[in-house]
């Protein structure tokens, strides 16, 4: 051999060993691998809590608050509970998205005694399927919770299944400095919003920042237009599959949105909400419809410059009092190991004491307990609390108010399709309605 | 004779006869001691059980579940049978399905027509023993080694509309990931980037195994570089060529990771594998519907498997 032998051997070793068997076995495995995704317990981090069943001094808590800041807040609330009750809490924190994606397996396996979740259809769904514990007696001991929160925590059978802890409203956010400089006024009607947007365009701003790469932010736009045009009850019925997507009411929502699309930031399907929020932060956009968490994209010294207003009125007979304000809270597993301790923990997280700890430590959320000491709120938080307090109805957001399979596999592609091509509303609503009928079968 | 077991470059030398349990009847089996037979039985049984349990059963379960509307909650006894409804829904009322099939085919075509030949071309160049050949090999193979999350991040930095490298350098404002007419090509570039390195390495290993005397003979006969490659080297490399072909088909059928990292396979980046995942895994839990999609994918794969097996078996018989 003229070629250096070592080189050939070196390369021979680089051939992945799997290649030898790649011919048919891997081809099959690749195809069937998608099948193997089924039923596998993906939730490695979620299930097993072996803190000993007999010791009555413990309780476990499944948390989806995986970001450093909220995680720290939860730790402080848990500390407060441990000090006041003398019980030990083992917190099992799982990445937020992973938690959400694996919730079905998690709840059917060995869930923690208490787990975090949110209000809305999905809470009622788990309650209806018997995967969550009845908390009516805990609610009997809670004080400071408004009726709106109680309603949002109630399942289809009239019992409570959730203890709300925090919430945040969706609104149109803007920078005060930009608006003062240009002399903009908060619009009260859709016409005023359109006129304001035209002015902003003249001033070289993108009127409404917009991003929908991840699929869910556009749901906020659909929700608020639907709430303003058709009202809260229609929103609830539409989300529950009781109203037809092909109705004129839904078409009017899309039609109005089509009129507003030119005022939105173009090419939104490739942009993340963080990038859109930064365009607001960098004073390139005039306003942005998003949840209170938009403040995360602003520096500390810019927080006071951030303000918001609720989406203006479209139909005077409907008004502008309803809004999306998703509620986060705690639920109990169907068969908790330590039921008494779990209920004590749930009582505590709904109490004024826990709310006070949260207020002191987390400026990006609002606490559910009305008795909490909110003097620690920032100006933005105070205004947000007032806005939600004055709301006549509170919706939970499209993907929390409807079936998750419908929201993720039908609505996300449909709304993206609409943003891509807003002309064919009839075709779009037909397609949604057909898919809805095949999903909402029971 | 080559020291690469994969490359039987010299077909004149018969490949070593595989020793199988069924190959030698009667007399030969008795030559094996009891221990040997136990060991052989175990070596066959254990992989067989693994394959059945981890590949065949899930695959069959998928096919069975595709005729139900199970949502992943509740006991198996409560599963409701819906016949072929999931399939008719997939074809008739599920808008992402048709783009997904088109994109899978486009993926196959792009890898087959551009990325694979380019990888082979690079392998031929590197086989010329250039200076720094190991550096080039490493550089080209690197994308295959990088973790998926890192690749997604690298390309996000390049393609981001407002903050990305491409638009920054050229001053354009193309929405690389968001525009459904553009993003599939942007992703194909990223996918090709990985695929080229993989094919390059496979092919290079094959080229190193080609008997140099064949080239010398061709050179003595006065053949040019090009005709030496196409008339001598390429035909001799048949086994490697088949592997490269199969790898290309597999890669395009199971293409998934990049689009999932970018936008979960939506808005112009639909792929069947991504649709399966979007429906089955996660909160949606449309297990019946997702299984129908997975079964369709299985059937498509079976077509390729059948073609491949038929070719290989015809080859063996000759």
């Amino acid at each position: 051999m003229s070629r250096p032998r070592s080189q050939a051997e070196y390369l021979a070793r680089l051939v992945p060993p799997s290649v030898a068997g790649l011919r048919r076995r891997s081809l099959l495995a690749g195809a069937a691998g998608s099948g193997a995704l089924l039923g596998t317990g993906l939730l490695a981090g979620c299930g097993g809590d072996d803190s000993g069943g007999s010791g009555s001094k413990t309780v476990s808590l499944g948390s989806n608050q995986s970001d450093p800041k909220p995680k720290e807040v939860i730790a402080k609330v848990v500390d407060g509970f441990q000090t006041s009750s003398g019980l030990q809490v083992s917190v099992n924190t799982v990445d937020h998205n992973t938690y959400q994606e694996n919730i079905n397996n998690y709840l059917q396996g060995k869930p923690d005694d208490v787990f975090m979740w949110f209000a809305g259809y999905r809470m009622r769904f788990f309650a209806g399927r018997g995967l969550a514990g009845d908390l009516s007696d805990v609610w009997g001991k809670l004080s400071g919770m408004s009726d709106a929160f109680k309603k949002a925590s109630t399942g289809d059978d009239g019992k409570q299944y959730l203890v709300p802890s925090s919430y945040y409203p969706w609104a149109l956010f803007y920078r005060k400095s930009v608006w003062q400089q240009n002399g903009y006024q908060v619009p009260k009607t859709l016409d005023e919003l359109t006129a304001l947007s035209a002015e902003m365009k003249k001033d070289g701003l993108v009127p409404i920042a917009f991003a929908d790469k991840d699929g869910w932010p556009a749901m906020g736009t659909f929700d608020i237009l639907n709430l303003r045009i058709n009202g809260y009850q229609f929103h609830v019925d539409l989300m529950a599959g009781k109203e037809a997507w092909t109705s004129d009411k839904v078409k009017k929502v899309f039609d109005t949105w089509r009129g507003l699309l030119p005022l939105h930031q173009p090419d939104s399907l490739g942009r993340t909400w963080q990038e859109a929020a930064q365009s607001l932060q960098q004073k390139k956009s005039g306003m942005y419809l998003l949840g209170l968490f938009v403040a995360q994209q602003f520096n500390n010294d810019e927080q006071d410059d951030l303000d918001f207003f609720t989406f203006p009125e479209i139909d005077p007979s409907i008004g502008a009092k309803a809004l999306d304000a998703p509620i986060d809270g705690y639920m109990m597993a169907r068969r908790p190991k330590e039921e008494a301790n779990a209920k004590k923990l749930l009582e505590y997280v709904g109490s004024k004491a826990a709310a006070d700890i949260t207020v002191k430590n987390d400026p990006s959320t609002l606490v559910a307990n009305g008795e909490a000491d909110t003097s620690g709120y920032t100006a933005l938080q105070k205004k947000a609390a007032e806005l939600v307090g004055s709301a006549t109805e509170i919706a939970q957001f499209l993907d929390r108010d409807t079936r998750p399979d419908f929201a993720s596999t039908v609505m996300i592609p449909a709304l993206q399709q609409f943003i891509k091509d807003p002309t064919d509303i009839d075709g779009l609503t037909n397609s949604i309605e057909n898919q809805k009928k095949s999903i909402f079968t029971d | 004779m080559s020291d690469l077991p994969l490359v039987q470059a010299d077909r004149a030398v018969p490949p070593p006869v595989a020793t199988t349990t069924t190959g030698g009847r009667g007399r030969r089996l008795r030559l094996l001691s009891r221990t040997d037979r136990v060991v052989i039985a175990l070596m066959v049984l254990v992989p067989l059980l693994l394959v059945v349990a981890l590949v065949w059963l899930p695959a069959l379960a998928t096919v069975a579940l595709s005729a139900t509307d199970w949502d992943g909650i509740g006991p198996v006894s409560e599963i409701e049978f819906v016949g072929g409804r999931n399939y008719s829904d997939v074809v008739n009322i599920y808008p992402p399905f048709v783009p997904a099939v088109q994109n899978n085919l486009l993926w196959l075509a792009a890898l087959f027509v551009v990325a694979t030949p380019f990888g082979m071309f690079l392998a031929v160049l590197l086989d010329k023993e250039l200076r720094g050949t190991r550096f080039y090999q490493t550089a080209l193979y690197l994308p295959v080694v990088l973790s998926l999350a890192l690749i997604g991040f690298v390309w996000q930095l390049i393609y981001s509309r407002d903050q990305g490298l491409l638009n920054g350098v050229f001053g354009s404002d193309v929405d690389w990931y968001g525009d459904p007419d553009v993003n599939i090509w942007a992703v194909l570039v990223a996918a090709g980037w990985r695929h080229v390195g993989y094919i390059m390495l496979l092919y290079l290993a094959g080229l190193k195994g080609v008997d140099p005397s064949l080239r010398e003979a061709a050179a003595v006969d006065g053949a040019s570089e090009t005709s030496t490659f196409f008339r001598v080297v390429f035909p001799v490399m048949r086994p490697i060529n088949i592997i490269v072909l199969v790898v290309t088909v597999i890669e395009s059928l199971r293409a998934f990771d990049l689009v999932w990292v970018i936008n979960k396979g939506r808005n112009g980046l639909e792929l069947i594998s991504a649709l399966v995942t979007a429906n089955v895994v996660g909160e949606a839990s449309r297990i019946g519907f997702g299984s129908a999609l997975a079964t369709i994918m299985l059937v498509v794969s079976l077509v390729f498997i059948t073609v491949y097996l038929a070719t290989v078996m015809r080859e063996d018989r000759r």
Side-chain angles (χ1 to χ4, degrees):
Chain A
M1 262 194 180
S2 60
R3 203 165 276 126
R5 200 178 160 75
S6 62
Q7 172 85 345
E9 278 171 357
Y10 159 70
L11 278 162
R13 250 179 281 122
L14 283 182
V15 177
S18 59
V19 169
L22 250 181
R23 305 162 177 234
R24 47 188 172 266
R25 219 169 301 142
S26 297
L27 197 58
L28 259 181
S34 52
L37 286 171
L38 280 177
T40 45
L42 287 162
L43 205 67
C46 252
D49 172 65
D50 303 315
S51 52
S54 58
S56 59
K57 283 285 181 195
T58 61
V59 58
S60 61
L61 169 67
S63 165
N64 60 355
Q65 300 294 335
S66 50
D67 292 337
K69 186 74 195 168
K71 194 175 171 182
E72 197 186 306
V73 177
I74 297 302
K76 286 190 174 143
V77 171
V78 165
D79 277 347
F81 173 69
Q82 294 185 149
T83 327
S84 72
S85 68
L87 297 175
Q88 274 297 316
V89 182
S90 63
V91 184
N92 177 12
T93 307
V94 176
D95 165 69
H96 194 276
N97 282 332
T98 314
Y99 187 91
Q100 196 151 333
E101 294 194 338
N102 292 309
I103 188 75
N104 286 345
N105 291 335
Y106 172 56
L107 291 182
Q108 292 186 93
K110 283 191 282 177
D112 299 295
D113 298 337
V114 177
F115 62 94
M116 294 192 183
W117 198 237
F118 22 77
Y121 180 94
R122 198 59 173 154
M123 178 274 292
R124 301 199 301 274
F125 175 81
F126 286 138
R129 298 299 292 259
L131 292 173
D134 176 11
L135 300 179
S136 302
D137 49 343
V138 174
W139 265 88
K141 296 179 200 156
L142 289 178
S143 71
M145 291 288 178
S146 71
D147 277 351
F149 282 117
K150 184 162 188 178
K151 209 174 145 192
S153 308
T154 305
D156 295 327
D157 56 1
K159 294 175 185 163
Q160 282 77 44
Y161 290 94
L162 177 94
V163 174
S165 57
S166 62
Y167 64 98
Y168 58 88
W170 276 63
L172 279 158
F173 288 83
Y174 63 91
R175 290 197 70 155
K176 282 187 227 167
S177 56
V178 174
W179 281 43
Q180 269 160 13
Q181 193 189 331
N182 293 303
Y184 299 145
Q185 295 295 321
V186 170
K188 297 271 179 250
T189 64
L190 186 64
D191 290 339
E192 285 178 28
L193 181 72
T194 317
L196 172 68
S197 299
E199 217 177 306
M200 285 178 171
K201 271 194 167 171
K202 227 182 291 163
D203 296 336
L205 289 172
V206 174
I208 305 174
F210 193 41
D212 197 35
K213 180 165 176 274
D214 299 315
W216 54 265
M219 293 174 171
T221 310
F222 178 85
D223 271 355
I224 200 70
L225 289 172
N226 192 25
L227 288 170
R228 290 289 175 269
I229 293 170
N230 299 313
Y232 175 76
Q233 195 53 47
F234 183 81
H235 165 84
V236 171
D237 292 343
L238 184 69
M239 293 302 126
K242 292 177 194 156
E243 292 280 352
W245 284 80
T246 44
S247 70
D248 287 341
K249 287 181 159 186
V250 177
K251 283 181 187 167
K252 193 175 172 207
V253 172
F254 280 116
D255 205 40
T256 312
W257 193 355
R258 178 168 61 186
L260 291 174
L261 264 186
L263 310 176
H264 285 74
Q265 210 170 358
D267 298 337
S268 56
L269 295 178
R271 192 180 293 116
T272 62
W273 72 262
Q274 287 94 337
E275 289 171 305
Q278 281 157 25
S279 83
L280 184 71
Q281 186 258 337
Q282 293 157 6
K283 307 187 177 183
K284 290 176 187 163
S285 318
M287 47 198 159
Y288 188 21
L289 176 70
L290 206 73
L292 190 60
F293 54 84
V294 72
Q296 291 168 12
Q297 295 295 318
F298 285 72
N299 302 328
N300 280 339
D301 58 338
E302 294 166 338
Q303 295 288 343
D304 287 341
D305 196 33
L306 192 63
D307 203 349
F308 66 87
F309 59 94
T310 190
F311 197 90
E313 175 182 295
I314 295 178
D315 182 342
S317 65
I318 303 280
K321 285 286 190 193
L323 79 164
D324 269 338
I327 300 167
D328 292 335
Y330 297 78
M331 294 173 75
M332 189 174 72
R334 54 177 166 172
R335 282 192 295 273
K337 280 195 210 101
E338 305 291 346
E339 185 164 345
N341 295 347
K343 286 187 172 170
K344 273 184 209 159
L345 175 60
L346 284 159
E347 207 181 309
Y348 181 81
V349 294
S351 71
K352 174 180 173 343
D356 285 346
I357 295 175
T358 311
V359 171
K360 257 181 234 146
N361 293 294
D362 190 354
S364 71
T365 188
L366 304 172
V367 291
N369 193 308
E371 290 171 357
D373 175 16
T374 54
S375 58
Y377 272 179
T378 62
L380 198 70
Q381 279 175 301
K382 276 185 190 136
K383 199 175 163 187
E386 272 167 36
L387 173 68
V388 179
S390 70
T392 46
E393 293 105 353
I394 299 171
Q396 292 299 312
F397 202 67
L398 197 152
D399 65 1
R400 297 185 181 195
D401 274 335
T402 190
R403 293 176 60 117
D405 45 3
F406 180 67
S408 66
T409 67
V410 179
M411 284 316 291
I412 289 180
L415 294 181
Q416 291 189 332
Q417 173 64 30
F418 170 74
I419 294 164
K420 241 184 291 183
D421 173 24
T423 50
D424 186 18
I425 292 175
D426 285 341
L428 183 76
T429 48
N430 270 329
S431 164
I432 298 175
E433 179 66 15
N434 283 335
Q435 295 183 74
K436 184 206 86 179
K437 280 183 187 149
S438 93
I439 288 181
F440 286 85
T441 48
D442 39 31
Chain B
M1 185 61 202
S2 154
D3 45 16
L4 279 173
L6 286 174
V7 188
Q8 292 139 11
D10 191 351
R11 300 294 288 183
V13 182
V17 179
T19 41
T20 60
T21 46
T22 52
R25 285 170 303 247
R27 198 180 56 81
R28 258 182 78 183
L29 253 184
R30 250 172 273 127
L31 290 177
L32 299 171
S33 73
R34 195 194 179 94
T35 333
D36 286 348
R37 267 178 283 169
V38 171
V39 167
I40 289 172
L42 278 178
M43 285 169 80
V44 173
L45 266 182
V46 172
L48 184 73
L49 284 178
L50 282 176
V51 167
V52 167
L54 297 177
V55 177
W56 287 103
L57 286 183
L60 290 177
T62 306
V63 175
L65 281 172
S66 72
T68 71
D69 68 348
W70 196 39
D71 62 359
I73 295 179
V76 176
S77 56
E78 277 176 20
I79 295 178
E80 208 177 313
F81 188 75
V82 296
R85 202 189 74 199
N86 286 327
Y87 291 94
S88 75
D89 283 358
V90 165
V91 177
N92 294 322
I93 64 169
Y94 192 49
F97 178 67
V98 173
V101 173
Q102 287 169 345
N103 285 343
N104 267 106
L105 290 176
L106 183 64
W107 207 281
L108 177 61
L111 290 194
F112 185 74
V113 176
V114 182
T116 298
F118 189 59
M120 290 159 84
F121 176 67
L122 287 179
V124 172
L125 286 189
L126 287 178
D127 192 39
K128 299 280 172 227
E129 318 226 316
L130 314 165
R131 251 198 309 160
T133 179
R134 288 199 184 185
F135 171 77
Y136 291 123
Q137 280 168 30
T138 316
L140 290 168
Y141 195 65
L142 201 60
V144 188
V145 184
L146 291 183
S147 88
L148 163 66
L150 194 60
I151 286 187
F153 181 64
V154 166
W155 288 97
Q156 175 77 34
L157 289 178
I158 294 172
Y159 281 139
S160 164
R161 179 189 182 276
D162 301 343
Q163 300 158 355
L165 177 77
L166 265 185
N167 283 347
V169 169
F170 295 105
S172 55
D173 58 353
V174 179
D175 187 7
W176 294 104
Y177 274 170
D179 186 336
D181 299 327
V182 177
N183 58 10
I184 185 73
W185 301 106
V187 175
L188 280 174
V189 168
W193 178 62
R194 275 181 106 181
H195 188 71
V196 163
Y198 191 18
I199 296 298
M200 184 270 304
L201 199 81
L202 271 183
Y203 214 69
L204 188 56
L207 284 173
K208 297 284 184 199
V210 173
D211 190 345
S213 61
L214 285 173
R215 292 184 203 226
E216 280 158 23
V220 168
D221 287 348
S224 69
E225 281 273 328
T226 330
S227 59
T228 307
F229 177 76
F230 282 108
R231 300 207 172 170
V232 179
V233 178
F234 190 78
V236 160
M237 299 260 295
R238 196 167 184 283
I240 278 281
N241 292 339
I242 290 183
I243 288 177
V244 163
L245 183 69
V246 172
V247 165
T248 304
V249 173
I250 292 172
E251 288 286 314
S252 50
L253 277 178
R254 67 171 194 188
F256 165 75
D257 38 20
L258 274 171
V259 300
W260 191 257
V261 167
I262 291 165
N263 66 1
K264 302 229 187 294
R266 298 168 181 140
N267 178 38
L269 296 186
E270 293 88 353
L271 289 177
I272 301 181
S273 53
L275 296 186
V276 172
T277 311
N279 278 283
V280 171
V281 180
E283 234 196 311
S285 239
R286 286 174 90 182
I287 292 190
F289 189 76
S291 299
L293 285 163
T295 306
I296 292 173
M297 210 169 124
L298 180 70
V299 171
V300 174
S301 312
L302 279 176
V303 171
F304 286 102
I305 295 167
T306 316
V307 171
Y308 170 70
L309 283 184
T311 321
V312 170
M313 282 173 179
R314 205 183 311 135
E315 182 82 355
D316 287 348
R317 227 174 291 138
R318 253 196 294 167

